[in-house]
Structures are given as C-alpha cells and as structure tokens.
C-alpha cells in the first residue's frame, strides 16, 4: 500500500492495521493505540504513530551515512490527522520531537516514561517499515544485486531495493507518442541533420556519457577526454549540442565565464550525462580570457585524471562538451589540454549569411527538436544497458576497445586514439542494442557501423590538422585558392638557380617552397595585399596585416627567427635589379595540402615549359613574333625557371 500526503485518516489507519498491528501493538475500537506485553496491557495512547518511510541516506560509495523516518499520526479516536514529519534517527532517543510536533502530547498520554513503549514499537516493526535508499546523485550505482540507473522519475535496473535521488529536476524528456523502435529509428535519422562528423560525434559522446561510472570503475577504460564544437556565431553550436545532450527536464548548459562554484556544481550534478560549457572565445579583455582558459584547462585536466583521483574529490562524473567561436590556441602551454580534447568543426545550420547554409538542414533540426526522439530512446536503452552491465558488457567493451585502438592507430597522440575508440565503441553498442531488439537487420547493423567507422576515421584525421582562429582559417583558405589560381605563385629552389635564389615579385612569384625542410617563405606585404582584396570579394574581410601576423604566430604556423616574425628575403624586379622584401616563413606541414599543391603545380609548370620550348625550337627565327612568346612564357612563369635560365641568350635570340 502506497502512502501519499493526500491520504485520509481512514486510509492511514488501514495501512497501520495491515502493516504493523499484531498481538503486542494494535488500535482498539476507540481509536487508541495499545501496547500488550506478556499478555497484559502495558500502556494506552490516544495517539497512533504511523511510520510510512525509513530513509537510508547513502554516500557516494553506497554506505549509510545517516537515517531518517517519516511519520504520520492520528489522534482523537483516529479521526484527526497530524501533518507528516521527518525525523533523523538520532533524534528518536527522547520524547522531545513528539512534543514539538504534537502540542497535546501530554493529553495523549505521551510522557518520558511511556515513550519507552513507543521506542519498543518502533524497534519491533523496524524491518516492516518501507525503506528507501536515497542518494544525492543520478546515474549509475551498484549494490549487491548489480548496476542500476537512478533518475528523478525512479530507478532503471533489477535491484530489489528501493532507491531515489534527492534531485527532482532530472526527469526524462520522454515522448510517450514514440515507441521504443520509433525512438531509435528517429534518433538514427537525426544523424542526417547536418555534417555527419558533427552529428555522429555528438550522438556517440552522449552515448558514452551514459556509461562513465561503470567505465571509470574498471580503471583502465575511463573516458578521460572532452569534446569541443567550434565555429562562427550563429551556426547553431549551442542548439545542436543541446538537442543531442539534453536527456532531462533541466538545463545542462552553463556559460564558460560562470563562477567556478557554478561550473563545479553543474559538472558534479550531471552524473553519467553531458554538461555543455558554452560560449568560449567571447572574453572582452585579456584578463578575462586568461581566467576563462584557466577554468577550461582545470575541467579538462580533471576529466583526464579522474580515475587517478580520490573518490571524495568533486570531479566531473559525466562528460564535458565545450562550444565556442574558436578552439584553444595551438601552443606548447595548451598541448596537453588539446591532447585530451576531440575537436569538431561546426556545420552551418542557421546562419543565412555564412557559407554552407541550407534551409533543409534547419528544417530537419526543427523537426527533431519538436519530436525529441533521442532522450526517449535513451530511456529504453538504459534498461538494455542495465542487463548488459550486470552480465559481461565491460569485458566485451574492453575487448572491442583494444581492437579499435589498433584499427585507429596513427601518428596522433595516443590519448586521441583512445578517445576516438571510445566514441566508435559506444556507438556500436547502441547499434547492437537495436539489432538485438530486431529494430534493424544484421545487414543494416553492419552497414551503419561501416559508415560510422569511416566518419570516425575522418574525425581522427582532422585531429592532426591545426585548429585555428577564424581569421587564420580564412587566411589559409584564401592562400590555397590564390596558389591554385596563380594569383600567388610559388617557386622551388631549382626554379631560381638563374637568379641566385632571388624571387621576382613583379610577375606574381611571391614565395619559395623548400621541400627538404617543408618551409614556405612568402613575401608578406604583397601576399597579404592580394589575399585582402580576395577577402573583400567574399565579404569576409581579413584583419590588418600586423594583427594577422600575430594570429598566425599564436597558431604556431610561423617559424620565427631571432629578429622576429618577418625576415629579409632577397628579390629582384623585371629588369633584374636586386632588392629586399620582408617575408614570413611558414611551417608547411601545418597548412593542409599546401605542399602537395605546390609540388603538383611545379610539375605542371615543367611540363608546360617543355612544351613551350619544343614549340619555340620548331619555329624559324625569321617568322616568330618574340614579343608573343615572351608574353606566353611570362604568363606561364617560365622565364624564371632553370629551363630558360640565361636572359642574355634569350635577349640575343629575341633581338636577332
């Protein structure tokens, strides 16, 4: 029989008689509480104490740290109901708590001497009192029956004991109009909202967050990393992150500039779930930016070290997802933090003024935002997980995880390989759940998994690429386009043998690429001017030349010398007069595809040169227009190559 605060004296009396009444303790026809010991009446009270709940308050390890009781009471012949009261066990040692509760205690025959019989009654029925184990956390817990999952609406799992959490706001956002199968299939459809690297990463991160506690307990499977979604304002970072990570009827987003205590409260309350740390990169002052970076570094470091820390530490008990306009600066100070982070570039869902906008993406998002299939599917999935966790799931997870680490082996940091392995592994378990439930066929399961594998391979590859400030990203895009289109021509050392290594910027040759060291020198002012004009055409204006140089330095793309960011570079003009320009030396290994592009263009240039020379040598000198051929060779950047290396010879032939 369940007791509610709305129950009547009659229902409470019926509960008492059903649960506690016997030969020694009973309520008579007058509504009085009687105590019989050794066949004789020991005491009578005009007051019926009705325990309805015993609460074991548990600590994080599941040990009882306190105990309290909830009581109702009837008086005046079991016709008057007192307001319920909750009392700690340690307060039961004397009668004072009843006197405070019932002002008519003396009239009801409750005295310090007679209170002994009430204590005997409580001791006699203690095991019959409905018992609840109460925790200050949600998520996974473990008792002698195994793992169970706690949320504000109750418990998921096979434990025979009753559990609840003190948190009332963690109720599942469950769409009751969706069946378990529909919820799963619609969740899979959510992966098509936008760029699948974003959606697969977010879904897998959320799925991984659901099993943080069991994985951390296993010691060597703790998922010690964060995820970072970055991109320009207005693309939809926060809303998409919320769609994929909000399981409960409570906010799981906290601003990165919040007070430390608020951040701490958020990431400790969201056990086995995701807390979104929002809006990185919007600090207005250098001081605020430094403080924000310190907080971010602390959270990611705590995530990275949690399996080594004391269980009493207030460490994250779920996963942390960061969103922001940019990622951490790629420097030596942040290298350890970056290795603990999977970075995902945000797709454009909402910003009509930015590249990549497609109204279809926005419509798909809005559909699923209203439907809410993921949290509904998670509710059902947790029941399946509880059975698996109480069998051999962790052993299977570990075996699959180790195989995936070998599959994902690459040159990136081992922490990143571990992180990607966790994401793909937990995604596969979700697909396994659907296959066992027969929501999908084995063939469909394999197809989905194979597709996901390729996506996570691409995400892994992205981790080796520099993540830079939006202005640096714009600069790199413009530079690649300018090199490919010929607006910025790049020479190789052998191309400049005729000029002793001097560039000729007047014909658009603004850089030298050194294949042996993978360095790229650019005549800075001239290159910047060309790229700036292109940025204006795109309506994405580059910042000033000095500010851009500083950002490139912060992105660790520049090989600095002792004299600063720029260094002297020997050049010459179209009349072969020598001069000096200022150049920046880039680490070409950190500019995606630039080395391959330059080598490809150089090979193409050699082929064009040979073709032009063959044409030139096959034409009679008296019939050839040397002005035309010079223009052709100049357009192809061939006069500045080693194949036509002697300007005196050329001028002699031209003037013949």
């Amino acid at each position: 029989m369940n007791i509610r605060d709305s129950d009547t004296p009659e229902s409470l009396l019926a509960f008492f008689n059903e649960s506690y009444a016997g030969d020694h303790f009973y309520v008579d026809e007058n509504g009085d509480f009687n105590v019989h010991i050794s066949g004789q009446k020991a005491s009578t009270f005009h007051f019926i104490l009705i325990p309805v709940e015993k609460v074991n308050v548990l600590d994080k390890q599941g040990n009882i740290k306190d105990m309290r009781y909830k009581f109702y009471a009837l008086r005046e012949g079991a016709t008057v109901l007192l307001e319920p009261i909750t009392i700690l066990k340690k307060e039961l040692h004397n009668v004072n708590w009843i006197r405070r509760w019932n002002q008519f205690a003396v009239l009801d025959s409750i005295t310090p001497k007679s209170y002994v019989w009430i204590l005997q009654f409580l001791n006699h029925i203690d095991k019959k009192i409905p018992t609840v184990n109460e925790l200050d956390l949600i998520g996974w817990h473990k008792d002698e029956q195994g793992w169970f999952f706690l949320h504000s609406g109750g418990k998921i799992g096979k434990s025979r004991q009753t559990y609840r959490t003190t948190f009332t706001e963690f109720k599942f956002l469950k769409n009751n109009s969706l069946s378990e199968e529909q919820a799963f299939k619609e969740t899979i459809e959510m992966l098509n909202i936008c760029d699948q690297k974003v959606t697969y990463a977010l879904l897998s991160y959320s799925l991984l967050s659901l099993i943080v506690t069991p994985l951390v307990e296993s010691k060597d499977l703790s998922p010690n990393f964060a995820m970072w979604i970055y991109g320009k304002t207005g693309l939809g970072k926060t809303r998409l992150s919320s769609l994929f990570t909000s399981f409960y009827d409570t906010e799981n987003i906290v601003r990165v500039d919040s007070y430390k205590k608020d951040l701490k409260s958020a990431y400790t309350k969201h056990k086995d779930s995701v807390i979104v740390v929002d809006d990185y990169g919007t600090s207005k002052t250098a001081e605020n930016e430094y403080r924000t970076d310190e907080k971010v570094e602390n959270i990611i470091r705590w995530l990275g070290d949690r399996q080594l820390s004391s269980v009493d530490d207030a460490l994250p008990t779920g996963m942390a997802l960061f969103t922001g306009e940019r990622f951490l600066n790629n420097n030596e100070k942040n290298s350890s933090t970056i290795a603990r982070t999977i970075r995902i570039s945000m797709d454009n869902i909402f910003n009509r003024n930015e590249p990549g906008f497609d109204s279809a993406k926005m419509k798909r998002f809005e559909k699923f935002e209203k439907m809410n299939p993921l949290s509904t599917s998670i509710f059902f999935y947790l029941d399946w997980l509880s059975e698996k966790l109480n069998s051999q799931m962790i052993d299977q997870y570990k075996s699959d995880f180790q195989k995936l680490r070998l599959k994902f082996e690459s040159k990136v940091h081992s922490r990143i390989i571990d992180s990607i392995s966790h994401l793909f592994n937990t995604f596969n378990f979700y697909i396994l759940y659907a296959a066992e439930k027969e929501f999908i066929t084995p063939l469909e399961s394999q197809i989905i998994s194979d597709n996901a594998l390729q996506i996570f391979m691409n995400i892994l590859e992205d981790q080796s690429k520099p993540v830079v400030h939006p202005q640096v990203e714009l600069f790199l895009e413009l530079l690649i386009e300018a090199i490919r289109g010929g607006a910025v021509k790049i020479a190789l050392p052998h191309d400049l043998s005729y000029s002793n290594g001097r560039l000729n910027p007047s014909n658009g040759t603004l850089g030298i690429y050194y294949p042996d060291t993978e360095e790229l020198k650019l005549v800075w002012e001239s290159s910047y001017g060309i790229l700036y004009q292109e940025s204006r055409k795109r309506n994405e204006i580059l910042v000033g030349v000095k500010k851009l140089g500083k950002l490139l330095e912060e992105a660790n793309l520049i090989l600095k010398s002792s004299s600063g960011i720029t260094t002297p570079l020997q050049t010459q003009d179209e009349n072969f007069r020598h001069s000096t320009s200022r150049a920046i030396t880039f680490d070409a290994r950190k500019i995606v595809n630039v080395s391959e592009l330059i080598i490809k263009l150089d090979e193409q240039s050699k082929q064009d040169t040979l073709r032009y020379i063959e044409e030139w040598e096959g034409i009679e000198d008296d019939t050839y227009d040397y002005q035309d051929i010079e223009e052709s060779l100049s357009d192809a950047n061939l006069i500045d190559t080693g194949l036509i290396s002697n300007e005196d010879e050329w001028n002699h032939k031209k003037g013949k």
Side-chain angles (χ1 to χ4, degrees), residues 330-347:
N330 188 18
N331 53 41
E332 187 64 30
K333 174 180 176 293
N334 291 329
S335 60
S336 178
T337 304
I338 290 172
R340 291 176 166 93
T341 310
I342 297 298
R343 297 99 63 191
I344 307 292
S345 177
M346 181 60 191
D347 193 9

Side-chain angles (χ1 to χ4, degrees), residues 130-142:
T131 301
V132 177
N133 298 303
E134 187 175 84
L135 289 138
D136 289 333
L137 292 169
I138 61 166
W140 290 106
H141 303 274
K142 197 176 186 182

Side-chain angles (χ1 to χ4, degrees), residues 43 174 186 205 247 255 372 404 423 432 500 593 607:
S43 186
K174 189 167 177 284
E186 292 295 348
Y205 198 63
F247 306 151
R255 283 184 56 87
N372 211 3
L404 288 172
L423 292 173
L432 174 63
N500 294 321
N593 296 329
Q607 294 174 11

Side-chain angles (χ1 to χ4, degrees), residues 54 67 69 121-131:
K54 179 173 66 175
M67 189 182 295
Y69 292 82
F121 165 66
L122 292 177
N123 183 64
H124 181 74
I125 66 166
D126 189 67
K127 293 183 178 179
K128 298 180 180 180
I129 300 172
T131 301

Side-chain angles (χ1 to χ4, degrees), residues 12 47-50 71-75 80-84 101:
L12 285 166
F47 174 90
I48 308 169
L49 185 66
I50 308 174
F71 297 106
Y72 283 82
L74 299 173
R75 52 183 311 276
V80 175
L81 173 63
L82 298 185
E83 288 294 322
W101 183 29

Side-chain angles (χ1 to χ4, degrees), residues 112-218:
K113 185 176 181 180
S114 64
Y115 180 67
V116 173
W117 300 114
I118 291 179
L119 288 179
Q120 281 205 21
F121 165 66
L122 292 177
N123 183 64
H124 181 74
I125 66 166
D126 189 67
K127 293 183 178 179
K128 298 180 180 180
I129 300 172
T131 301
V132 177
N133 298 303
E134 187 175 84
L135 289 138
D136 289 333
L137 292 169
I138 61 166
W140 290 106
H141 303 274
K142 197 176 186 182
D143 64 11
E144 58 271 17
Q145 280 91 46
W147 289 101
F148 60 91
F149 191 93
L150 207 55
H151 57 99
S152 297
K155 175 195 69 179
I156 298 174
K158 304 302 182 184
S159 175
R160 292 189 295 272
Q161 299 185 56
T162 303
Y163 290 88
R164 73 180 178 211
T165 176
T166 56
F167 296 155
T168 59
E169 66 271 33
F170 286 87
K171 295 178 181 177
F172 269 97
L173 293 169
K174 189 167 177 284
N175 185 342
N176 292 321
S177 67
L178 293 177
S179 68
E180 183 175 1
E181 181 176 354
Q182 287 172 327
F184 168 80
K185 289 184 174 179
E186 292 295 348
T187 296
I188 295 300
E189 281 299 313
M190 286 174 62
L191 296 171
N192 298 318
I193 289 176
C194 61
D195 179 4
Q196 290 190 331
K197 285 193 288 188
V198 183
T199 55
Y200 273 74
L202 284 172
L203 175 60
S204 298
Y205 198 63
S206 291
L207 294 171
L208 178 60
S209 77
L210 294 173
I211 53 173
V212 164
T213 298
L215 292 179
V216 170
E217 189 191 70
S218 73

